[in-house]
Amino acid sequence: MTYKTNNEFIMEETFQTKGTCATMIQFTRDGDKIRNIRFTGGCNGNLKAIAKLEA
Protein backbone atom coordinates (compact mmCIF):
# COMPACT_ATOMS: atom_id res chain seq x y z
CA MET A 1 0.00 0.00 0.00
CA THR A 2 1.25 3.50 -0.79
CA TYR A 3 -0.08 6.73 0.69
CA LYS A 4 1.08 10.33 0.87
CA THR A 5 1.73 12.44 3.98
CA ASN A 6 3.53 15.77 4.24
CA ASN A 7 4.15 15.68 0.47
CA GLU A 8 6.10 12.40 0.80
CA PHE A 9 5.08 8.94 -0.27
CA ILE A 10 4.94 6.27 2.44
CA MET A 11 5.02 2.63 1.31
CA GLU A 12 3.91 -0.31 3.44
CA GLU A 13 5.60 -3.52 2.35
CA THR A 14 5.38 -7.20 3.27
CA PHE A 15 8.24 -9.62 2.73
CA GLN A 16 7.67 -13.40 2.93
CA THR A 17 10.82 -15.12 4.20
CA LYS A 18 12.08 -18.63 3.49
CA GLY A 19 14.47 -20.67 5.60
CA THR A 20 14.36 -18.31 8.61
CA CYS A 21 12.57 -18.32 11.95
CA ALA A 22 10.48 -15.29 11.03
CA THR A 23 7.91 -16.20 8.39
CA MET A 24 7.00 -12.64 7.40
CA ILE A 25 8.43 -9.13 7.81
CA GLN A 26 6.25 -6.05 7.39
CA PHE A 27 7.58 -2.49 7.37
CA THR A 28 6.92 1.06 6.26
CA ARG A 29 9.32 2.74 3.84
CA ASP A 30 9.48 6.50 4.38
CA GLY A 31 11.83 7.92 1.76
CA ASP A 32 15.19 6.28 2.47
CA LYS A 33 14.20 5.19 6.00
CA ILE A 34 12.55 1.98 7.12
CA ARG A 35 10.12 2.32 10.01
CA ASN A 36 7.55 0.26 11.92
CA ILE A 37 9.18 -3.13 11.38
CA ARG A 38 6.97 -6.06 12.41
CA PHE A 39 8.14 -9.70 12.43
CA THR A 40 5.79 -12.69 12.33
CA GLY A 41 7.37 -15.66 14.03
CA GLY A 42 11.02 -15.54 14.98
CA CYS A 43 13.55 -17.16 17.25
CA ASN A 44 13.96 -16.09 20.85
CA GLY A 45 17.57 -14.92 20.33
CA ASN A 46 16.70 -12.89 17.24
CA LEU A 47 13.84 -11.14 18.99
CA LYS A 48 16.06 -10.21 21.94
CA ALA A 49 18.64 -8.69 19.58
CA ILE A 50 16.03 -6.68 17.69
CA ALA A 51 14.78 -5.20 20.98
CA LYS A 52 18.30 -3.85 21.63
CA LEU A 53 18.50 -1.88 18.35
CA GLU A 54 18.47 1.90 18.69
CA ALA A 55 16.92 4.38 16.29
Side-chain angles (χ1 to χ4, degrees):
M1 174 188 344
T2 303
Y3 54 94
K4 191 173 183 179
T5 62
N6 298 329
N7 294 323
E8 293 187 28
F9 286 100
I10 307 294
M11 295 178 62
E12 290 184 3
E13 299 190 32
T14 300
F15 180 75
Q16 295 288 330
T17 63
K18 293 181 182 176
T20 63
C21 294
T23 57
M24 182 171 52
I25 303 170
Q26 296 171 289
F27 58 91
T28 303
R29 190 178 300 207
D30 181 0
D32 61 351
K33 296 181 182 177
I34 292 179
R35 304 180 187 274
N36 304 319
I37 300 173
R38 298 173 304 281
F39 292 84
T40 301
C43 303
N44 188 34
N46 291 347
L47 298 175
K48 287 180 182 177
I50 291 168
K52 299 289 183 183
L53 294 175
E54 293 184 29

Coordinates of all heavy atoms in Angstrom, one line a residue:
M1 N 0.8 -1.2 0.0 CA 0.0 0.0 0.0 C 0.9 1.2 0.0 O 1.9 1.3 0.7 CB -0.9 0.0 1.2 CG -1.7 1.3 1.3 SD -2.7 1.7 2.7 CE -3.0 0.4 3.7
T2 N 0.5 2.2 -0.7 CA 1.3 3.5 -0.8 C 0.3 4.6 -0.5 O -0.8 4.7 -0.9 CB 1.8 3.7 -2.2 OG1 2.7 2.7 -2.5 CG2 2.6 5.0 -2.2
Y3 N 0.7 5.6 0.4 CA -0.1 6.7 0.7 C 0.8 7.9 0.9 O 2.1 7.8 1.0 CB -1.0 6.5 1.9 CG -0.3 6.1 3.2 CD1 0.2 7.0 4.1 CD2 0.0 4.7 3.4 CE1 0.8 6.6 5.2 CE2 0.6 4.3 4.6 CZ 1.0 5.3 5.5 OH 1.7 4.9 6.6
K4 N 0.3 9.1 0.8 CA 1.1 10.3 0.9 C 0.8 11.1 2.1 O -0.4 11.3 2.5 CB 0.8 11.2 -0.4 CG 1.7 12.3 -0.6 CD 1.4 13.0 -1.9 CE 2.4 14.1 -2.2 NZ 2.1 14.7 -3.5
T5 N 1.9 11.5 2.8 CA 1.7 12.4 4.0 C 2.8 13.5 3.9 O 3.9 13.2 3.5 CB 1.9 11.7 5.3 OG1 3.2 11.1 5.4 CG2 0.8 10.6 5.5
N6 N 2.5 14.7 4.3 CA 3.5 15.8 4.2 C 4.3 15.8 2.9 O 5.5 16.0 2.9 CB 4.5 15.6 5.4 CG 3.8 15.7 6.7 OD1 2.8 16.4 6.9 ND2 4.4 15.0 7.7
N7 N 3.6 15.6 1.8 CA 4.1 15.7 0.5 C 5.2 14.6 0.2 O 6.0 14.7 -0.7 CB 4.7 17.1 0.2 CG 3.7 18.1 0.1 OD1 2.6 17.8 -0.4 ND2 3.9 19.3 0.6
E8 N 5.2 13.5 1.0 CA 6.1 12.4 0.8 C 5.3 11.1 0.7 O 4.2 11.0 1.3 CB 7.1 12.3 1.9 CG 8.1 13.4 2.0 CD 9.2 13.2 3.1 OE1 9.5 12.0 3.3 OE2 9.7 14.1 3.6
F9 N 5.8 10.2 -0.1 CA 5.1 8.9 -0.3 C 5.6 8.0 0.8 O 6.8 7.8 1.0 CB 5.3 8.4 -1.7 CG 4.5 9.1 -2.7 CD1 5.1 10.0 -3.5 CD2 3.2 8.8 -2.9 CE1 4.4 10.7 -4.5 CE2 2.4 9.5 -3.8 CZ 3.0 10.4 -4.6
I10 N 4.6 7.3 1.4 CA 4.9 6.3 2.4 C 4.5 4.9 1.8 O 3.4 4.8 1.4 CB 4.2 6.5 3.7 CG1 4.4 8.0 4.3 CG2 4.5 5.5 4.8 CD1 5.8 8.3 4.7
M11 N 5.4 3.9 1.9 CA 5.0 2.6 1.3 C 5.0 1.6 2.4 O 6.0 1.5 3.2 CB 6.0 2.2 0.2 CG 6.0 3.1 -1.0 SD 7.2 2.7 -2.2 CE 6.7 1.1 -2.6
E12 N 4.0 0.8 2.5 CA 3.9 -0.3 3.4 C 4.2 -1.6 2.6 O 3.6 -1.8 1.6 CB 2.5 -0.4 4.1 CG 2.3 0.7 5.1 CD 1.0 0.5 5.8 OE1 0.3 -0.5 5.6 OE2 0.6 1.4 6.6
E13 N 5.2 -2.3 3.1 CA 5.6 -3.5 2.3 C 5.6 -4.8 3.2 O 5.7 -4.7 4.4 CB 7.0 -3.3 1.8 CG 7.1 -2.1 0.8 CD 8.4 -2.1 0.1 OE1 9.0 -3.1 -0.2 OE2 8.8 -0.9 -0.2
T14 N 5.4 -5.9 2.6 CA 5.4 -7.2 3.3 C 6.4 -8.1 2.5 O 6.4 -8.2 1.3 CB 4.0 -7.8 3.2 OG1 3.1 -7.0 3.9 CG2 4.0 -9.2 3.9
F15 N 7.2 -8.7 3.3 CA 8.2 -9.6 2.7 C 8.1 -11.0 3.3 O 8.1 -11.2 4.5 CB 9.6 -9.1 3.0 CG 10.7 -9.9 2.5 CD1 11.0 -9.9 1.1 CD2 11.5 -10.7 3.3 CE1 12.1 -10.6 0.6 CE2 12.5 -11.5 2.8 CZ 12.8 -11.5 1.5
Q16 N 7.8 -12.0 2.5 CA 7.7 -13.4 2.9 C 9.1 -14.0 2.9 O 9.8 -14.0 1.9 CB 6.8 -14.2 2.0 CG 5.3 -13.7 1.9 CD 4.6 -14.1 3.2 OE1 4.9 -15.1 3.9 NE2 3.6 -13.3 3.5
T17 N 9.5 -14.5 4.1 CA 10.8 -15.1 4.2 C 10.8 -16.6 4.0 O 9.7 -17.3 4.0 CB 11.4 -14.8 5.6 OG1 10.6 -15.5 6.6 CG2 11.5 -13.4 5.9
K18 N 11.9 -17.2 3.7 CA 12.1 -18.6 3.5 C 13.4 -19.1 4.2 O 14.4 -18.4 4.1 CB 12.2 -19.0 2.0 CG 10.9 -18.7 1.2 CD 11.0 -19.2 -0.2 CE 9.8 -18.8 -0.9 NZ 9.9 -19.1 -2.4
G19 N 13.3 -20.1 5.0 CA 14.5 -20.7 5.6 C 14.9 -19.9 6.8 O 16.1 -20.0 7.3
T20 N 14.0 -19.1 7.4 CA 14.4 -18.3 8.6 C 13.3 -18.5 9.6 O 12.2 -19.0 9.3 CB 14.5 -16.8 8.3 OG1 13.2 -16.3 7.9 CG2 15.5 -16.5 7.3
C21 N 13.6 -18.2 10.9 CA 12.6 -18.3 12.0 C 11.3 -17.4 11.7 O 10.2 -17.9 11.9 CB 13.2 -18.0 13.3 SG 14.5 -19.1 13.8
A22 N 11.6 -16.2 11.3 CA 10.5 -15.3 11.0 C 9.9 -15.7 9.7 O 10.6 -16.0 8.7 CB 11.0 -13.8 11.0
T23 N 8.6 -15.8 9.6 CA 7.9 -16.2 8.4 C 7.5 -15.0 7.5 O 7.3 -15.2 6.3 CB 6.7 -17.0 8.7 OG1 5.8 -16.3 9.5 CG2 7.1 -18.3 9.4
M24 N 7.4 -13.8 8.1 CA 7.0 -12.6 7.4 C 7.6 -11.4 8.1 O 7.6 -11.4 9.3 CB 5.5 -12.5 7.3 CG 5.0 -11.4 6.6 SD 3.2 -11.4 6.2 CE 2.5 -11.6 7.9
I25 N 8.0 -10.4 7.3 CA 8.4 -9.1 7.8 C 7.6 -8.0 7.1 O 7.5 -8.0 5.9 CB 9.9 -8.9 7.5 CG1 10.8 -10.1 8.1 CG2 10.4 -7.6 8.1 CD1 12.2 -10.0 7.7
Q26 N 7.0 -7.2 7.9 CA 6.2 -6.0 7.4 C 6.9 -4.8 7.9 O 7.4 -4.7 9.0 CB 4.8 -6.1 7.9 CG 4.1 -7.3 7.4 CD 2.7 -7.4 8.1 OE1 2.7 -7.7 9.3 NE2 1.7 -7.2 7.4
F27 N 6.9 -3.8 7.0 CA 7.6 -2.5 7.4 C 7.0 -1.4 6.5 O 6.4 -1.6 5.5 CB 9.1 -2.6 7.2 CG 9.6 -2.9 5.8 CD1 9.9 -2.0 4.9 CD2 9.7 -4.3 5.5 CE1 10.3 -2.3 3.6 CE2 10.2 -4.6 4.3 CZ 10.5 -3.7 3.3
T28 N 7.3 -0.1 7.0 CA 6.9 1.1 6.3 C 8.2 1.7 5.7 O 9.1 1.9 6.5 CB 6.2 2.0 7.2 OG1 5.1 1.4 7.7 CG2 5.7 3.3 6.4
R29 N 8.2 2.0 4.5 CA 9.3 2.7 3.8 C 8.9 4.2 3.7 O 8.0 4.6 3.1 CB 9.6 2.1 2.5 CG 10.9 2.6 1.9 CD 11.2 2.0 0.6 NE 11.3 0.6 0.8 CZ 12.0 -0.2 0.0 NH1 12.7 0.3 -1.0 NH2 12.1 -1.5 0.2
D30 N 9.7 5.1 4.4 CA 9.5 6.5 4.4 C 10.7 7.2 3.8 O 11.7 7.4 4.4 CB 9.3 6.9 5.8 CG 9.0 8.4 6.0 OD1 8.9 9.1 5.0 OD2 8.8 8.9 7.1
G31 N 10.7 7.4 2.5 CA 11.8 7.9 1.8 C 12.9 6.9 1.8 O 12.7 5.7 1.4
D32 N 14.1 7.2 2.4 CA 15.2 6.3 2.5 C 15.3 5.6 3.9 O 16.3 5.0 4.2 CB 16.5 7.0 2.1 CG 16.9 8.1 3.1 OD1 16.0 8.5 3.9 OD2 18.0 8.6 3.0
K33 N 14.2 5.8 4.7 CA 14.2 5.2 6.0 C 13.2 4.1 6.1 O 12.1 4.1 5.4 CB 13.9 6.3 7.0 CG 14.9 7.3 7.1 CD 14.6 8.3 8.2 CE 15.7 9.4 8.2 NZ 15.4 10.4 9.1
I34 N 13.5 3.1 6.9 CA 12.5 2.0 7.1 C 12.1 2.1 8.5 O 12.8 2.3 9.5 CB 13.2 0.6 6.9 CG1 13.5 0.5 5.4 CG2 12.3 -0.5 7.4 CD1 14.2 -0.8 5.0
R35 N 10.7 2.1 8.7 CA 10.1 2.3 10.0 C 9.1 1.2 10.3 O 8.6 0.6 9.4 CB 9.4 3.7 10.1 CG 10.4 4.8 9.8 CD 9.6 6.2 9.8 NE 10.4 7.3 9.4 CZ 11.2 8.0 10.2 NH1 11.3 7.6 11.4 NH2 11.9 9.0 9.7
N36 N 8.7 1.1 11.5 CA 7.5 0.3 11.9 C 7.8 -1.2 11.5 O 6.9 -1.8 10.9 CB 6.2 0.8 11.4 CG 6.0 2.2 11.8 OD1 6.2 2.6 12.9 ND2 5.5 3.0 10.9
I37 N 8.9 -1.8 11.8 CA 9.2 -3.1 11.4 C 8.4 -4.1 12.3 O 8.4 -4.0 13.5 CB 10.7 -3.4 11.4 CG1 11.4 -2.5 10.5 CG2 11.0 -4.9 11.1 CD1 12.9 -2.6 10.6
R38 N 7.7 -5.0 11.7 CA 7.0 -6.1 12.4 C 7.4 -7.4 11.9 O 7.4 -7.7 10.7 CB 5.5 -5.8 12.2 CG 5.0 -4.5 12.8 CD 3.6 -4.2 12.5 NE 3.2 -4.2 11.1 CZ 3.4 -3.2 10.2 NH1 4.1 -2.1 10.5 NH2 3.0 -3.3 8.9
F39 N 7.7 -8.3 12.8 CA 8.1 -9.7 12.4 C 7.0 -10.7 12.9 O 6.5 -10.6 14.0 CB 9.4 -10.1 13.1 CG 10.6 -9.3 12.6 CD1 10.9 -8.1 13.2 CD2 11.4 -9.9 11.7 CE1 12.0 -7.4 12.7 CE2 12.6 -9.2 11.2 CZ 12.9 -7.9 11.7
T40 N 6.7 -11.6 12.0 CA 5.8 -12.7 12.3 C 6.6 -13.9 12.5 O 7.4 -14.3 11.6 CB 4.8 -12.9 11.2 OG1 4.0 -11.7 11.0 CG2 3.8 -14.0 11.6
G41 N 6.5 -14.5 13.7 CA 7.4 -15.7 14.0 C 8.7 -15.1 14.5 O 8.9 -13.9 14.8
G42 N 9.7 -16.0 14.6 CA 11.0 -15.5 15.0 C 11.6 -16.4 16.1 O 10.8 -17.0 16.8
C43 N 12.9 -16.4 16.2 CA 13.6 -17.2 17.3 C 13.8 -16.3 18.5 O 13.9 -15.1 18.3 CB 14.9 -17.6 16.7 SG 14.8 -18.6 15.3
N44 N 13.8 -16.8 19.6 CA 14.0 -16.1 20.8 C 15.2 -15.2 20.8 O 15.1 -14.0 21.2 CB 14.0 -17.0 22.0 CG 14.0 -16.3 23.3 OD1 13.4 -15.3 23.5 ND2 14.7 -16.9 24.3
G45 N 16.3 -15.7 20.4 CA 17.6 -14.9 20.3 C 17.5 -13.7 19.4 O 17.9 -12.6 19.7
N46 N 16.9 -14.0 18.2 CA 16.7 -12.9 17.2 C 15.8 -11.8 17.8 O 16.1 -10.6 17.6 CB 16.1 -13.4 16.0 CG 17.0 -14.3 15.2 OD1 18.2 -14.4 15.4 ND2 16.4 -15.0 14.2
L47 N 14.8 -12.1 18.5 CA 13.8 -11.1 19.0 C 14.5 -10.3 20.1 O 14.3 -9.1 20.2 CB 12.6 -11.8 19.5 CG 11.7 -12.5 18.4 CD1 10.6 -13.3 19.0 CD2 11.3 -11.6 17.3
K48 N 15.3 -11.0 20.9 CA 16.1 -10.2 21.9 C 17.0 -9.2 21.3 O 17.2 -8.1 21.8 CB 16.8 -11.2 22.9 CG 15.9 -11.9 23.8 CD 16.7 -12.9 24.7 CE 15.8 -13.7 25.6 NZ 16.6 -14.6 26.4
A49 N 17.7 -9.6 20.2 CA 18.6 -8.7 19.6 C 17.9 -7.5 18.9 O 18.4 -6.4 19.0 CB 19.4 -9.5 18.5
I50 N 16.8 -7.8 18.3 CA 16.0 -6.7 17.7 C 15.6 -5.7 18.7 O 15.6 -4.4 18.5 CB 14.8 -7.3 16.9 CG1 15.3 -8.0 15.7 CG2 13.8 -6.1 16.5 CD1 14.2 -8.9 15.1
A51 N 15.2 -6.1 19.9 CA 14.8 -5.2 21.0 C 15.9 -4.3 21.4 O 15.7 -3.2 21.9 CB 14.3 -6.0 22.2
K52 N 17.2 -4.7 21.2 CA 18.3 -3.8 21.6 C 18.7 -2.8 20.6 O 19.5 -1.9 20.9 CB 19.5 -4.7 21.9 CG 19.3 -5.8 23.0 CD 19.3 -5.1 24.3 CE 19.1 -6.2 25.4 NZ 19.0 -5.6 26.7
L53 N 18.2 -2.8 19.4 CA 18.5 -1.9 18.3 C 18.0 -0.5 18.7 O 17.0 -0.3 19.3 CB 17.9 -2.3 17.0 CG 18.4 -3.6 16.4 CD1 17.6 -3.9 15.1 CD2 19.8 -3.5 16.0
E54 N 18.8 0.5 18.4 CA 18.5 1.9 18.7 C 18.1 2.6 17.4 O 18.7 2.3 16.3 CB 19.6 2.6 19.4 CG 19.9 2.1 20.8 CD 21.0 2.9 21.5 OE1 21.1 4.1 21.2 OE2 21.7 2.3 22.3
A55 N 17.3 3.6 17.5 CA 16.9 4.4 16.3 C 18.0 5.4 16.0 O 18.8 5.8 16.7 CB 15.6 5.1 16.5

